[in-house]
mmCIF file of all heavy atoms in Angstrom:
data_model
loop_
_atom_site.group_PDB
_atom_site.id
_atom_site.type_symbol
_atom_site.label_atom_id
_atom_site.label_comp_id
_atom_site.label_asym_id
_atom_site.label_seq_id
_atom_site.Cartn_x
_atom_site.Cartn_y
_atom_site.Cartn_z
ATOM 1 N N GLY A 26 25.086 -55.128 -29.889
ATOM 2 C CA GLY A 26 23.677 -54.935 -29.539
ATOM 3 C C GLY A 26 22.750 -55.037 -30.745
ATOM 4 O O GLY A 26 23.187 -55.256 -31.875
ATOM 5 N N HIS A 27 21.465 -54.846 -30.470
ATOM 6 C CA HIS A 27 20.447 -55.030 -31.512
ATOM 7 C C HIS A 27 19.513 -53.840 -31.595
ATOM 8 O O HIS A 27 18.326 -53.988 -31.880
ATOM 9 C CB HIS A 27 19.623 -56.299 -31.214
ATOM 10 C CG HIS A 27 20.438 -57.548 -31.244
ATOM 11 N ND1 HIS A 27 21.043 -58.062 -30.135
ATOM 12 C CD2 HIS A 27 20.781 -58.357 -32.268
ATOM 13 C CE1 HIS A 27 21.716 -59.157 -30.469
ATOM 14 N NE2 HIS A 27 21.565 -59.358 -31.754
ATOM 15 N N GLY A 28 20.014 -52.660 -31.305
ATOM 16 C CA GLY A 28 19.158 -51.471 -31.298
ATOM 17 C C GLY A 28 18.663 -51.121 -32.700
ATOM 18 O O GLY A 28 19.312 -51.439 -33.704
ATOM 19 N N HIS A 29 17.502 -50.465 -32.736
ATOM 20 C CA HIS A 29 16.920 -50.071 -34.032
ATOM 21 C C HIS A 29 17.196 -48.599 -34.376
ATOM 22 O O HIS A 29 16.774 -48.132 -35.425
ATOM 23 C CB HIS A 29 15.389 -50.225 -33.978
ATOM 24 C CG HIS A 29 14.922 -51.606 -33.667
ATOM 25 N ND1 HIS A 29 15.709 -52.712 -33.809
ATOM 26 C CD2 HIS A 29 13.726 -52.054 -33.246
ATOM 27 C CE1 HIS A 29 15.019 -53.784 -33.481
ATOM 28 N NE2 HIS A 29 13.809 -53.416 -33.116
ATOM 29 N N ASN A 31 20.099 -46.241 -32.544
ATOM 30 C CA ASN A 31 21.490 -45.778 -32.400
ATOM 31 C C ASN A 31 22.463 -46.808 -32.974
ATOM 32 O O ASN A 31 22.083 -47.951 -33.251
ATOM 33 C CB ASN A 31 21.819 -45.573 -30.914
ATOM 34 C CG ASN A 31 20.914 -44.531 -30.267
ATOM 35 O OD1 ASN A 31 20.657 -43.483 -30.843
ATOM 36 N ND2 ASN A 31 20.433 -44.826 -29.066
ATOM 37 N N THR A 33 25.874 -48.819 -31.871
ATOM 38 C CA THR A 33 26.630 -49.100 -30.646
ATOM 39 C C THR A 33 27.873 -49.914 -30.982
ATOM 40 O O THR A 33 27.811 -50.829 -31.806
ATOM 41 C CB THR A 33 25.742 -49.904 -29.662
ATOM 42 O OG1 THR A 33 24.537 -49.173 -29.448
ATOM 43 C CG2 THR A 33 26.436 -50.128 -28.326
ATOM 44 N N GLN A 49 28.791 -44.938 -28.531
ATOM 45 C CA GLN A 49 27.489 -44.938 -29.208
ATOM 46 C C GLN A 49 27.309 -43.684 -30.049
ATOM 47 O O GLN A 49 27.591 -42.578 -29.594
ATOM 48 C CB GLN A 49 26.387 -44.995 -28.148
ATOM 49 C CG GLN A 49 25.250 -45.897 -28.543
ATOM 50 C CD GLN A 49 24.275 -46.153 -27.418
ATOM 51 O OE1 GLN A 49 24.047 -45.278 -26.587
ATOM 52 N NE2 GLN A 49 23.690 -47.329 -27.402
ATOM 53 N N GLU A 123 18.422 -61.331 -25.088
ATOM 54 C CA GLU A 123 17.366 -60.956 -26.046
ATOM 55 C C GLU A 123 16.044 -61.614 -25.683
ATOM 56 O O GLU A 123 14.995 -61.182 -26.086
ATOM 57 C CB GLU A 123 17.768 -61.306 -27.477
ATOM 58 C CG GLU A 123 18.874 -60.413 -28.040
ATOM 59 C CD GLU A 123 18.541 -58.921 -28.043
ATOM 60 O OE1 GLU A 123 17.426 -58.539 -28.398
ATOM 61 O OE2 GLU A 123 19.435 -58.136 -27.654
ATOM 62 N N HIS A 217 11.205 -45.261 -17.570
ATOM 63 C CA HIS A 217 12.284 -45.624 -18.499
ATOM 64 C C HIS A 217 11.825 -45.513 -19.948
ATOM 65 O O HIS A 217 12.541 -45.019 -20.812
ATOM 66 C CB HIS A 217 12.744 -47.054 -18.170
ATOM 67 C CG HIS A 217 13.918 -47.492 -18.982
ATOM 68 N ND1 HIS A 217 13.799 -47.945 -20.281
ATOM 69 C CD2 HIS A 217 15.230 -47.555 -18.685
ATOM 70 C CE1 HIS A 217 14.998 -48.255 -20.743
ATOM 71 N NE2 HIS A 217 15.891 -48.036 -19.789
ATOM 72 N N ASP A 219 11.491 -47.630 -22.348
ATOM 73 C CA ASP A 219 11.972 -48.582 -23.373
ATOM 74 C C ASP A 219 12.413 -49.849 -22.638
ATOM 75 O O ASP A 219 13.593 -50.190 -22.596
ATOM 76 C CB ASP A 219 13.120 -47.954 -24.166
ATOM 77 C CG ASP A 219 13.573 -48.831 -25.335
ATOM 78 O OD1 ASP A 219 12.913 -49.848 -25.620
ATOM 79 O OD2 ASP A 219 14.588 -48.488 -25.965
ATOM 80 N N LYS A 221 12.469 -52.992 -22.884
ATOM 81 C CA LYS A 221 12.745 -54.298 -23.499
ATOM 82 C C LYS A 221 13.727 -55.043 -22.619
ATOM 83 O O LYS A 221 14.587 -54.432 -21.969
ATOM 84 C CB LYS A 221 13.386 -54.094 -24.881
ATOM 85 C CG LYS A 221 12.439 -53.586 -25.906
ATOM 86 C CD LYS A 221 12.880 -53.931 -27.312
ATOM 87 C CE LYS A 221 14.060 -53.125 -27.799
ATOM 88 N NZ LYS A 221 14.182 -53.135 -29.260
ATOM 89 N N ILE A 222 13.659 -56.358 -22.676
ATOM 90 C CA ILE A 222 14.505 -57.168 -21.800
ATOM 91 C C ILE A 222 16.002 -56.948 -22.091
ATOM 92 O O ILE A 222 16.841 -57.098 -21.199
ATOM 93 C CB ILE A 222 14.113 -58.667 -21.865
ATOM 94 C CG1 ILE A 222 14.816 -59.483 -20.780
ATOM 95 C CG2 ILE A 222 14.335 -59.261 -23.230
ATOM 96 C CD1 ILE A 222 14.466 -59.102 -19.383
ATOM 97 N N ASN A 223 16.348 -56.529 -23.316
ATOM 98 C CA ASN A 223 17.778 -56.321 -23.587
ATOM 99 C C ASN A 223 18.303 -55.004 -22.997
ATOM 100 O O ASN A 223 19.472 -54.676 -23.167
ATOM 101 C CB ASN A 223 18.096 -56.451 -25.085
ATOM 102 C CG ASN A 223 17.411 -55.390 -25.924
ATOM 103 O OD1 ASN A 223 16.819 -54.447 -25.402
ATOM 104 N ND2 ASN A 223 17.459 -55.548 -27.239
ATOM 105 N N ASN A 224 17.457 -54.300 -22.279
ATOM 106 C CA ASN A 224 17.936 -53.116 -21.567
ATOM 107 C C ASN A 224 18.160 -53.373 -20.075
ATOM 108 O O ASN A 224 18.270 -52.441 -19.278
ATOM 109 C CB ASN A 224 16.980 -51.938 -21.787
ATOM 110 C CG ASN A 224 17.094 -51.406 -23.207
ATOM 111 O OD1 ASN A 224 18.182 -51.460 -23.801
ATOM 112 N ND2 ASN A 224 16.007 -50.907 -23.762
ATOM 113 N N VAL A 225 18.231 -54.655 -19.716
ATOM 114 C CA VAL A 225 18.570 -55.057 -18.350
ATOM 115 C C VAL A 225 19.874 -55.844 -18.435
ATOM 116 O O VAL A 225 20.002 -56.728 -19.282
ATOM 117 C CB VAL A 225 17.493 -56.011 -17.762
ATOM 118 C CG1 VAL A 225 17.825 -56.383 -16.328
ATOM 119 C CG2 VAL A 225 16.116 -55.391 -17.854
ATOM 120 N N ILE A 237 19.942 -50.225 -18.329
ATOM 121 C CA ILE A 237 20.705 -49.374 -19.256
ATOM 122 C C ILE A 237 19.769 -48.742 -20.296
ATOM 123 O O ILE A 237 18.557 -48.864 -20.191
ATOM 124 C CB ILE A 237 21.811 -50.183 -19.974
ATOM 125 C CG1 ILE A 237 21.195 -51.357 -20.742
ATOM 126 C CG2 ILE A 237 22.827 -50.681 -18.970
ATOM 127 C CD1 ILE A 237 22.126 -51.963 -21.753
ATOM 128 N N ASP A 238 20.367 -48.088 -21.287
ATOM 129 C CA ASP A 238 19.634 -47.475 -22.395
ATOM 130 C C ASP A 238 18.695 -46.385 -21.856
ATOM 131 O O ASP A 238 17.464 -46.518 -21.912
ATOM 132 C CB ASP A 238 18.856 -48.543 -23.182
ATOM 133 C CG ASP A 238 18.494 -48.067 -24.584
ATOM 134 O OD1 ASP A 238 18.621 -46.860 -24.829
ATOM 135 O OD2 ASP A 238 18.079 -48.898 -25.405
ATOM 136 N N LEU A 239 19.317 -45.331 -21.357
ATOM 137 C CA LEU A 239 18.566 -44.308 -20.619
ATOM 138 C C LEU A 239 18.094 -43.148 -21.517
ATOM 139 O O LEU A 239 17.641 -42.130 -21.004
ATOM 140 C CB LEU A 239 19.437 -43.785 -19.463
ATOM 141 C CG LEU A 239 20.022 -44.895 -18.552
ATOM 142 C CD1 LEU A 239 20.925 -44.272 -17.481
ATOM 143 C CD2 LEU A 239 18.912 -45.712 -17.909
ATOM 144 N N ASP A 240 18.180 -43.328 -22.834
ATOM 145 C CA ASP A 240 17.852 -42.236 -23.770
ATOM 146 C C ASP A 240 16.436 -41.704 -23.598
ATOM 147 O O ASP A 240 16.166 -40.539 -23.871
ATOM 148 C CB ASP A 240 17.967 -42.704 -25.232
ATOM 149 C CG ASP A 240 19.364 -43.171 -25.590
ATOM 150 O OD1 ASP A 240 20.286 -42.969 -24.786
ATOM 151 O OD2 ASP A 240 19.521 -43.730 -26.686
HETATM 152 MG MG1 MG B 403 18.696 -50.970 -25.875
#
Side-chain angles (χ1 to χ4, degrees):
H27 297 91
H29 301 341
N31 300 316
T33 305
Q49 220 170 34
E123 289 302 317
H217 185 280
D219 186 8
K221 288 204 287 199
I222 190 63
N223 63 9
N224 288 328
V225 182
I237 58 164
D238 200 346
L239 308 177
D240 299 351

